[in-house]
């Protein structure tokens, strides 16, 4: 920096005590820094020097596990810990030594043991990238996994002549032995009855009725599992009109079953039909099958099962778990049967309203009365409870008309289950008293379903009586 120095003589002004006639010389610096500190203030200290650089150090490398047993074709994960100060680089280089196969190698930290490895012992080493003088090793032993047993999954199998089936087995033992097994069959009369891999095929000319299959551990020929396979006989279904039947064996639809096993027939009648009879034939011999259990024991022969179906009848169980009490003679009607519910609804009042609804009385017209309840003002507890009723998961019930109540009592008198389900008390109908005058709209009809005789009784709508719902289907 360049600075200029200027001298300017000055006379001392008044009020300054100096020697008479003395002149005051002013020095002016141009472009030079001026120290404004008070006289005697020391200059600021120099900045601190930068800290010395942090140098990482590595003390050791540790490999885990430090010893491991493994078998051909298997893999093993290894972990490494790099210890030191100031966060040394944790990377390592993995290597394997003393192995006989070049395919025994590392990929990342995973050791792959080749299927053709023969060395009984070899070593894996992790060497620090940061400090190659630091490393750690683990001993690897080639040990065949111990097999303690073999279990075949399919213990209750059957196969028909000319058929085949896949089998599966588990090889048991500590440290997960190899699951490969060798399959074989004995007791067969035909050489064509044999295994291909895990699939057993029964020859078309096979005469034996049962065979023993064996699954032997591939790595330990001393351990094996066995199971018995039986000859299955064919079940032919002769389908009929108005329904379908299907044989079930071992809880699944099956067209074959072995001798002595229980077969269940799944029966599915069409709407408005029921099972009439069920049977199977062996040659010319007909064997009935119980209609209730719908089961039979499989004979040592191919069979044909068949069934016959017939229309539902009054007194039969209905879809809602109750009983059919009326069959509609009009075959073109949208409903064909009336069903009585299997249980009572507790006592309810008919209504508190005295407005006449003009409900119907005829057989098969009770459901129409429900629309009159729905359209009218007021509450109708008996009808509402009937409409909300469900049985066997089925809805669509309603309060029956007087004629429907009479038909229930008439047609189901001989039904012991129905008789046990009703009480010797009045039951509401949906039919009002048909009169004119001051009592019109105040009373409705009841009938004692538990009695064997007796007519309908007119009762005030405000009285609580039992309810037995009905439905059309």
């Amino acid at each position: 920096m360049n600075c200029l120095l200027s001298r300017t003589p000055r006379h001392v002004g008044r009020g300054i005590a100096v020697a008479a006639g003395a002149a005051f010389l002013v020095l002016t610096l141009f472009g030079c820094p001026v120290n404004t500190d008070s006289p005697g203030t020391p200059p600021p200290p120099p900045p601190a020097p930068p800290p010395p650089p942090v140098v990482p150090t590595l003390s050791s490398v540790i490999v885990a596990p430090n010893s491991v047993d493994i078998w051909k074709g298997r893999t093993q994960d290894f972990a490494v810990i790099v210890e030191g100060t100031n966060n040394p680089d944790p990377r390592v280089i993995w290597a394997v030594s003393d192995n006989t196969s070049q395919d025994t190698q590392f990929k990342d930290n995973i050791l792959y043991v080749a299927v053709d490895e023969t060395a009984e012992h070899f070593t894996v080493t992790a060497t620090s990238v940061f400090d190659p003088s630091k490393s750690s090793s683990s001993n690897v032993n080639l040990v065949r996994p111990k097999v303690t047993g073999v279990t075949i999954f399919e213990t209750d199998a059957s196969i028909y002549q000319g058929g085949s089936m896949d089998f599966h087995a588990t090889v048991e033992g500590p440290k997960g032995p190899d699951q490969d097994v060798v399959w074989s069959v004995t007791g067969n009369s035909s050489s064509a009855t044999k295994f291909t891999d895990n699939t057993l095929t029964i020859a078309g000319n096979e005469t034996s009725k049962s065979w023993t299959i064996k699954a032997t551990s591939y790595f330990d020929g001393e351990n094996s599992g066995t199971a018995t396979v039986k000859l299955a006989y064919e079940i032919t279904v002769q389908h009929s009109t108005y329904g379908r039947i299907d044989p079930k064996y071992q809880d699944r639809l099956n067209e074959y079953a072995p001798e002595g096993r229980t077969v269940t027939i799944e029966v599915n009648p069409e709407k408005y039909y029921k099972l009439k009879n069920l049977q199977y034939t062996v040659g010319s011999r007909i064997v009935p099958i119980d209609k209730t259990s719908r089961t039979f024991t499989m004979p040592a022969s191919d069979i044909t099962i068949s069934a016959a179906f017939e229309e539902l009848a009054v007194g039969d169980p209905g879809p809602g778990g109750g009983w059919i009490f009326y069959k509609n003679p009009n075959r073109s009607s949208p409903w064909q049967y009336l069903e009585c519910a299997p249980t009572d609804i507790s006592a309810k009042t008919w209504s508190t309203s005295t407005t006449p609804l003009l409900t119907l009385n005829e057989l098969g017209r009770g459901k129409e009365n429900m629309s009159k309840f729905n359209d009218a003002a007021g509450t109708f507890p008996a009808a509402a409870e009937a409409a909300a009723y469900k049985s066997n998961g089925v809805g669509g019930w309603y309060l029956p008309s007087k004629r429907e109540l009479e038909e229930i009592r008439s047609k189901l008198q001989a039904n012991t289950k129905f008789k046990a389900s009703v009480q010797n008390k009045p039951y509401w109908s949906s039919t009002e008293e048909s009169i004119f005058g001051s009592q019109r709209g105040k009373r409705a009809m009841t009938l004692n379903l538990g009695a064997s005789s007796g007519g309908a009784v007119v009762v005030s709508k405000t009285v609580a009586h039992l309810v037995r719902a009905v439905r059309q289907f």
Side-chain angles (χ1 to χ4, degrees):
M1 175 183 295
N2 296 321
C3 54
L4 301 177
L5 179 63
S6 172
R7 300 190 209 183
T8 304
R10 299 277 180 95
H11 292 284
V12 177
R14 293 187 296 269
I16 298 176
V18 294
F24 185 72
L25 182 63
V26 178
L27 300 179
T28 303
L29 299 176
F30 296 94
C32 297
V34 179
N35 183 10
T36 60
D37 292 337
S38 301
T41 300
V54 176
V55 179
T57 63
L58 190 149
S59 58
S60 64
V61 175
I62 302 173
V63 171
N66 62 3
S67 180
V68 65
D69 295 341
I70 196 171
W71 186 238
K72 303 174 184 180
R74 304 292 180 88
T75 61
Q76 174 67 46
D77 289 4
F78 284 89
V80 64
I81 300 173
V82 176
E83 297 180 327
T85 60
N86 299 324
N87 300 317
D89 189 338
R91 292 177 299 165
V92 296
I93 297 173
W94 292 96
V96 58
S97 57
D98 302 326
N99 51 306
T100 60
S101 173
Q102 63 180 2
D103 293 328
T104 296
Q105 56 185 290
F106 265 98
K107 293 180 182 178
D108 296 326
N109 65 317
I110 302 175
L111 173 66
Y112 292 78
V113 180
V115 294
D116 60 347
E117 182 62 58
T118 60
E120 294 184 359
H121 309 282
F122 49 94
T123 304
V124 298
T125 302
T127 302
S128 169
V129 172
F130 175 76
D131 183 355
S133 68
K134 300 293 193 297
S135 64
S136 179
S137 298
S138 175
N139 297 319
V140 180
N141 307 305
L142 198 65
V143 177
R144 183 192 301 271
K146 184 179 180 181
V147 175
T148 58
V150 178
T151 300
I152 297 175
F153 288 169
E154 295 79 8
T155 58
D156 190 22
S158 59
I159 309 175
Y160 58 91
Q161 282 183 325
S164 60
M165 181 176 178
D166 291 348
F167 287 85
H168 308 83
T170 298
V171 180
E172 299 152 350
K175 299 185 179 180
D178 196 281
Q179 295 298 301
D180 289 342
V181 296
V182 177
W183 292 95
S184 60
V185 57
T186 57
N188 49 309
S189 64
S190 172
S191 60
T193 295
K194 61 182 180 180
F195 269 100
T196 302
D197 297 325
N198 66 318
T199 302
L200 175 62
T201 299
I202 303 300
N205 62 348
E206 180 63 56
T207 59
S208 297
K209 295 183 178 181
S210 66
W211 311 271
T212 299
I213 62 171
K214 179 186 288 188
T216 303
S217 170
Y218 180 79
F219 290 105
D220 183 355
E222 296 181 358
N223 279 278
S224 61
T226 61
T228 299
V229 179
K230 291 189 175 183
L231 176 65
Y233 296 95
E234 186 174 10
I235 304 173
T236 302
V237 178
Q238 180 180 316
H239 292 289
S240 62
T241 54
Y242 310 122
R244 178 182 176 86
I245 57 173
D246 293 287
K248 293 182 70 176
Y249 167 60
Q250 292 182 329
D251 295 325
R252 65 179 184 271
L253 296 181
N254 208 322
E255 296 178 351
Y256 297 90
E259 177 189 5
R261 299 304 169 85
T262 298
V263 178
T264 300
I265 306 299
E266 190 175 89
V267 178
N268 295 291
E270 291 182 4
K271 190 176 182 180
Y272 306 136
Y273 286 87
K274 64 180 179 179
L275 181 66
K276 182 179 181 181
N277 57 56
L278 190 61
Q279 61 192 22
Y280 72 82
T281 58
V282 181
S284 60
R285 185 166 62 95
I286 299 176
V287 181
I289 300 174
D290 181 69
K291 290 196 301 180
T292 303
S293 68
R294 300 174 182 178
T295 62
F296 68 94
T297 301
M298 188 69 186
S301 177
D302 295 341
I303 64 171
T304 298
I305 61 173
S306 60
F309 296 89
E310 62 183 349
E311 288 189 43
L312 293 170
V314 171
D316 285 339
W323 304 275
I324 296 172
F325 66 93
Y326 179 73
K327 181 178 179 180
N328 193 344
N330 181 4
R331 306 308 290 167
S332 62
S333 172
W335 61 272
Q336 293 298 306
Y337 296 93
L338 293 179
E339 178 183 5
C340 169
T343 58
D344 286 340
I345 297 172
S346 60
K348 304 294 177 185
T349 59
W350 203 95
S351 176
T352 57
S353 171
T354 58
T355 302
L357 302 184
L358 304 179
T359 54
L360 304 170
N361 175 55
E362 293 85 355
L363 189 62
R365 305 295 293 276
K367 190 170 184 179
E368 296 177 46
N369 289 339
M370 294 302 289
S371 62
K372 297 179 181 292
F373 289 118
N374 294 334
D375 295 339
T379 58
F380 306 92
E385 289 294 323
Y389 180 82
K390 281 194 174 183
S391 175
N392 228 24
V394 176
W397 303 85
Y398 60 89
L399 188 64
S401 68
K402 180 179 77 72
R403 280 288 296 116
E404 288 170 346
L405 274 183
E406 291 172 343
E407 192 73 4
I408 290 172
R409 191 175 70 175
S410 170
K411 296 299 172 61
L412 298 180
Q413 276 292 318
N415 188 313
T416 55
K417 291 184 178 179
F418 166 76
K419 289 290 289 183
S421 74
V422 294
Q423 301 179 50
N424 189 24
K425 293 181 179 180
Y427 286 75
W428 275 125
S429 76
S430 59
T431 305
E432 294 173 292
E433 180 186 23
S434 179
I435 64 168
F436 292 92
S438 62
Q439 294 300 316
R440 189 182 185 201
K442 294 183 178 180
R443 299 187 296 187
M445 311 294 287
T446 64
L447 184 72
N448 188 333
L449 291 179
S452 58
S453 61
V457 177
V458 177
V459 180
S460 169
K461 292 179 180 180
T462 60
V463 178
H465 284 303
L466 295 170
V467 175
R468 181 61 69 104
V470 299
R471 64 183 293 271
Q472 298 174 352
F473 72 95

